[in-house]
Each structure stands twice: as C-alpha cells, then as structure tokens.
C-alpha cells in the first residue's frame, strides 16, 4: 500500500516526447457549463473528470487531503453512485485501469458482474426462444453478481493509501445531504418512469411523492448513505457475505412488483453462493503500439482493449493527420467495422472461451484486415470475421454474423494525482436504470448486466463466444484507456459510456486527439460516428446534418441518426507537468473537470 508521504519528483519531469504528441496545451477556458460545471481545467496537484460536479468534487477532496489517484477514483465512483444512480453504483460492475508512476506500469481490475453458477446457455430462452430484450431487462434474470464493491476494495488494497471508510465519506455525505436535480437526472428518471413504477421500492426512492423529481429540487438518498456507512464499518463483506447481500438475493429471487402494473418480472437465480465466490480479477492490460505510443486498456472479458487496439493497428498504416475530414471519417468507420466483425467472433469471457487476445492485437493480423479498406468504396456489413490465428492478407473471411444488441449507458471517470499516477475507470449497471429493481431499504439499483450476453447466437453457423454460462462474465465494450509515451510516461487517459459505442467513441476521441491534433476537450466534444459492423453507421446530428454525410454517401456509406453517443472524460499530462482534465461540453448536460491547484 502506498503511503501518502512517498511523493515523487518524477511528476515534474517534462517529457520531450510529449511536446510533439497530442494537441498542444490549449489556453484553459474557464467558462462554466450548465449547472456551474466546467468541462476543462488545468493545474497541479492532480485532476478529476467525471460527468458530475459533486462526484468530481469528491475525488478532488480526497486528492486535497493527500489521497492518491486510486483513493480519489473510488471516492468519485462512490459519489457517482449517488448522483448517477441509473448508471453506476454498488449494484453494478466495471473495469479499472491504473497507471503506477513509480514503476511506470499499468494494471487492471476486471470487476465485471458474473452470471449465477446455476446459469446455462439457455438463461434467456423461454420455450426454446430468446426473450425479448425488454422482458429480460426489468427482471431478476438480468442481474449479475455485483463487482463494483470488490473492485473498490481490491484497488484500495493493492494501490490505495486510504481505507474504504475514508474514501466513502464524501459520497455518504452527498447521499445524506442530497444533490440538486438537473435536467439529465430528471429526463433519465422520466425515461424509466413506467418500469420504475412496476417496482414499488424503486418508485418510492426515485419518484418521491409519486412524482418525477423537479429540476432544482434536492434529491436525498438516506438509505444509500446508510449502505455506505455499513460498508465503511463492515467492509464489502457486508455485500458478499452479509446482510446487504442477503437483501440482494431476496430481491433477485423474489422481485417485488406492483400487482396493478401487470408486469411479469421473471425471478433470477442469483444465490448467496454466487456472492460468496465473487472475485474482482487483477489482470494484465492490453497493449497496442500506435504512432510510437503505448495504448493500454482492458483485456477480455471486455472487448474494449482488443477492439480499440485492433482498429488502431488497422489505422496505423494511414496518415490520418493529413486526410480530409471525410477521408478520416471513412477510414475510422471502416476500421471500426472490421474490428467489430472480429470482436463478435472471437471475444468472450476468457475463463470460458479460447480468446485470441494476443493475435487480435498483432500488427500482422491488423495489416491483413487493413488491406480490405479502399479509399473510394465501402465494405459490406455484416462483414465476416478474419482468422487471427492464421492471418491471410485481404481474406474475405468465412461466415458473417451481425453484432448483437447491447444497451447503452454507464459512466466513466478519469483521475490523476500529484505523483503522476492515473486511473481510467468505467463503471456501470448496464442500461440507464439497470434492472429497475432497487434493493429495499438499501438505496441502490441492481444491474441488468447479464443482458450483455447474446441471448442466442446471432447466426446459427457462426460460433458465439458470448453465450451465458455458470459464473461467466458477459462480454463488455468498456474501454478505459491510458496512453503512455515511449518512456512509459502518461500522455492521456480517457474512456466513455455508451454500450458498444464505447469502443468507437474511445477510438474516435483518441484519433481526434493524437492524429487530428484537437485539444482534448474538443476531441471529446467532436461530433461522433459509430459503426459496429452494421449496414448503417450512426451519426450524431452535427455530422448527420453536415455536408460530410453527402460526401461519404457518395462513396457508398449509409447512415442513421443517433441523437447522442457516449459521454467521455479524460486527463492529459501537459509537457510542463500540469494536468488537464476534460469532460463533455454539452452531452449529458456537460461533464465536470477539476484540478487541485488551478494554473491555467
Ligand atoms: N453494458 C455495457 C458494457 O459493458 C456498459 C453499459 C454502457 O456503457 O452502456 O459494455
């Protein structure tokens, strides 16, 4: 465990390589966004970026009191459990990526939810047919064993300098004293209102007095404050072996439904044993070399590291910095399409499937796939996967299968400390509002992460590594990323929510920043496209309504409109040793970036 006293001078070292990497340090705009949030901040002493002001402030508070990036990341995450309860919390899971400045190494924790030990590949089949997504989501069947509490404890034990009780304090206070309801919170509640009303415990908590919470009102969650208090006193054993866990199991096995709603909430089979055997897994990161940098991310069970990494390797041979905007987008779209074809065929939980992580990330395989990309024509989706074990240049591959559906929502936070450590952490309860089932008296929602499994193979003739299994982790798209220079010093770290669009958002933001040289906050704000081996590429309105669409359609692209893709945050190490924290300017009502000692 690191002691706060072990301060390192390395943090002040200026990397010559960094001067030429990424965007030049922009003058720091101090304009505040909605609700007084600031999407960019520059200074010393550490930095935090998240979607929420209260959560970012919780991390900054811990940094100010001498905590390190890991302590601050857990504090921020716990606060997001209060203010972003529909996207994260102790009822969910996530993936934690950590850069240790002392050893200049990257470590990761897979805190993904697991299926019950009793689950088989038929988890989501009824009478031999896959359930509809809607039927599956708001039910006990979709709930996996939460991994978030174990992730927090593992991270603190391994690299933190504070105990759980200490880092939970700001979040506990926030839950007790309340936060101000903004448009995003109200509209997310409204989007879930019908299904929240199916479950009286959820309605009681999130529809106070039977109404949608009013913008500007104070939302308090004393039950969650008590849950955090209990975790502070007893540790996360209260969830994996104790009373909170018992309540989770009861909720999943016997969902409490309002009989008047007529909702048939299928019970799940999560048992005490599932909680007792849960482990957050420390594992090696993925590493991809890109333009002389080292891009680290999360290995399977998330597809994030392999898919972003493969796409970067495909793009490595093209000089994106000199292309027109249309050609850049074309290459980004095609690389995403190919990487998604391979993701669908090859990535699942490695404890159950043979996953060719190394081969998917080999430059030889990427080159064999890049050869399919033409400047003036578009590949057809669904595109067949390649064979990473036997890369054959320009091979058309075997049978194609479409990408299976995944819900879209969660939250990402990025933290750096004064010692130069960095955390990039995406946590989730799967779709906005999770399973819609609140644990009675405990103040948090349960995840619906198991719907990230394929309910059935998308094509009967293509093997699917993402079918449910006992204790298996559903494939994720979460892609918390840390980029280091050639000397393994941090350049930038970022991530995003958005289900499978996470991969394309992270890829696009990285290339906008590293190749197109946008300042980080503008790379995050840039209008997004998302291609996931589908006939149409999704475009945010700013792209859909621009002349670029016509230019791309002229070479064969087809598009659909997506009102909003992702909600990224990041931190950048500036050449002079300052940190820049960046978040969304507009999406989700704007994010919140702060530093300990502002020095714009
Ligand atoms: N369930 C998604 C995944 O793990 C995360 C939820 C989201 O960001 O939308 O890929």
């Amino acid at each position: 465990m690191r002691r706060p006293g072990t301060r390192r001078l390395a943090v002040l070292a200026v990397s010559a390589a960094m001067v030429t990497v990424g965007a030049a340090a922009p003058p720091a705009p101090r304009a505040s966004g909605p609700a007084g949030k600031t999407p960019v901040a520059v200074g010393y002493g550490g930095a935090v970026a998240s979607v929420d002001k209260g959560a970012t402030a919780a991390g900054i508070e811990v940094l100010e009191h001498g905590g390190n990036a890991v302590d601050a990341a857990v504090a921020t995450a716990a606060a997001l459990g209060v203010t972003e309860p529909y996207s994260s919390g102790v009822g969910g899971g996530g993936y934690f990526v950590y850069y240790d400045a002392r050893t200049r190494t990257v470590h990761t924790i897979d805190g993904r939810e697991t299926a019950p030990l009793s689950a088989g590949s038929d988890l989501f089949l009824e009478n031999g047919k896959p359930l509809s997504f809607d039927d599956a989501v708001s039910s006990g069947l979709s709930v996996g064993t939460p991994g978030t509490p174990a992730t927090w404890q593992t991270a603190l034990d391994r690299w933190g300098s504070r105990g759980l009780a200490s880092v939970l304090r700001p979040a506990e206070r926030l839950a007790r004293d309340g936060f101000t309801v903004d448009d995003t919170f109200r509209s997310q509640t409204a989007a879930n209102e019908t299904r929240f009303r199916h479950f009286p415990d959820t309605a009681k908590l999130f529809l106070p007095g039977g109404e949608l919470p009013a913008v500007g009102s104070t939302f308090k969650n004393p039950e969650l404050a008590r849950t955090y208090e209990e975790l502070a006193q007893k540790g996360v054993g209260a969830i994996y072996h104790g009373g909170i866990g018992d309540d989770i199991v009861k909720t999943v096995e016997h969902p409490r439904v309002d009989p008047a709603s007529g909702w048939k909430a299928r019970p799940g089979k999560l048992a005490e044993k599932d909680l007792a055997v849960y482990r957050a897994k420390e594992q090696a990161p993925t590493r991809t070399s890109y333009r002389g940098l080292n891009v680290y991310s999360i290995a399977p069970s998330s597809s994030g590291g392999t898919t972003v990494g493969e796409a970067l390797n495909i793009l490595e041979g093209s000089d994106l910095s000199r292309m027109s905007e249309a050609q850049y987008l074309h290459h980004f779209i095609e690389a995403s399409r190919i990487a998604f074809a391979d993701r669908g065929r090859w990535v699942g939980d490695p404890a159950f499937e043979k996953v060719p992580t190394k081969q998917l990330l080999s430059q030889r395989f990427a080159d064999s796939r890049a050869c399919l990309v033409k400047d003036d024509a578009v590949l057809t989706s669904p595109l067949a996967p390649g064979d990473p074990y036997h890369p054959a240049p320009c091979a058309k591959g075997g049978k194609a299968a479409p990408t299976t559906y995944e819900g879209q929502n969660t939250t990402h936070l990025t933290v750096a400390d004064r010692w130069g450590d960095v955390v990039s952490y995406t946590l989730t309860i799967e779709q906005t509002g999770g399973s819609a089932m609140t644990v009675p008296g405990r103040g948090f929602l349960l995840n619906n992460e198991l719907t990230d499994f394929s309910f059935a193979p998308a094509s009967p003739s293509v093997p699917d590594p993402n079918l449910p299994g006992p204790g298996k982790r559903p494939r994720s798209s979460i892609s918390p990323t840390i980029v280091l220079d050639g000397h393994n010093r941090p350049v930038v770290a970022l991530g995003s929510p958005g289900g499978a669009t996470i991969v394309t958002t992270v890829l696009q933001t990285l290339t906008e920043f590293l190749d197109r040289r946008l300042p980080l906050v503008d790379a995050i704000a840039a209008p997004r496209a998302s291609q996931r081996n589908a006939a149409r590429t999704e475009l945010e309105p700013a792209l859909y309504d621009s002349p670029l669409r016509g230019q791309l359609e002229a070479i064969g692209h087809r598009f659909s409109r997506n009102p909003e893709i992702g909600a990224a945050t990041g931190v950048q190490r500036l050449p002079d040793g300052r940190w820049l924290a960046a978040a969304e300017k507009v999406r989700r009502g704007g994010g919140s970036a702060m530093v300990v000692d502002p020095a714009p």
Side-chain angles (χ1 to χ4, degrees), residues 35 59 99 158 195 349 451 458 539 598:
Y99 169 76
R158 290 284 288 115
R195 62 190 198 116
D349 181 350
T451 60
L539 294 183

Side-chain angles (χ1 to χ4, degrees), residues 34 39 86 122 131 149 163 182 191 197 236 320 331 415 545 591 598:
Y86 308 143
D122 60 352
L131 282 173
D182 62 9
R197 287 196 190 283
V236 298
L320 303 181
H331 280 262
V415 180
D545 299 333

Side-chain angles (χ1 to χ4, degrees), residues 87 95 112-113 302-303 343 406-411 426-432 448-449 451-452 474-479 496-502 588:
S87 301
Y95 296 88
R112 186 65 158 173
E113 299 91 330
S302 180
S303 63
R343 163 195 183 268
E406 245 180 66
Q408 304 192 359
N409 249 308
T410 177
T411 195
T426 313
L427 61 164
T428 179
I429 58 172
E430 218 302 276
Q431 75 165 36
T432 310
N448 67 295
E449 212 70 54
T451 60
D452 272 358
R475 178 177 61 213
S476 170
S477 299
I478 286 175
S479 317
S496 176
T501 69
I502 293 172
R588 290 222 198 158

Side-chain angles (χ1 to χ4, degrees), residues 344-401:
R345 169 64 186 86
W346 299 107
V347 185
D349 181 350
F352 289 75
E353 311 287 338
K354 191 173 166 214
V355 183
T357 301
K358 192 166 140 244
Q359 291 85 345
L360 282 168
L361 287 171
S362 84
Q363 191 60 50
R364 191 164 152 242
F365 178 56
D367 292 346
S368 77
R369 301 294 275 157
C371 148
L372 294 169
V373 179
K374 305 279 173 267
D375 277 346
D376 54 358
V378 172
L379 289 162
T380 305
S381 280
L383 180 77
D387 180 353
Y389 292 108
H390 308 99
C394 263
K396 286 270 183 274
K399 297 221 165 70

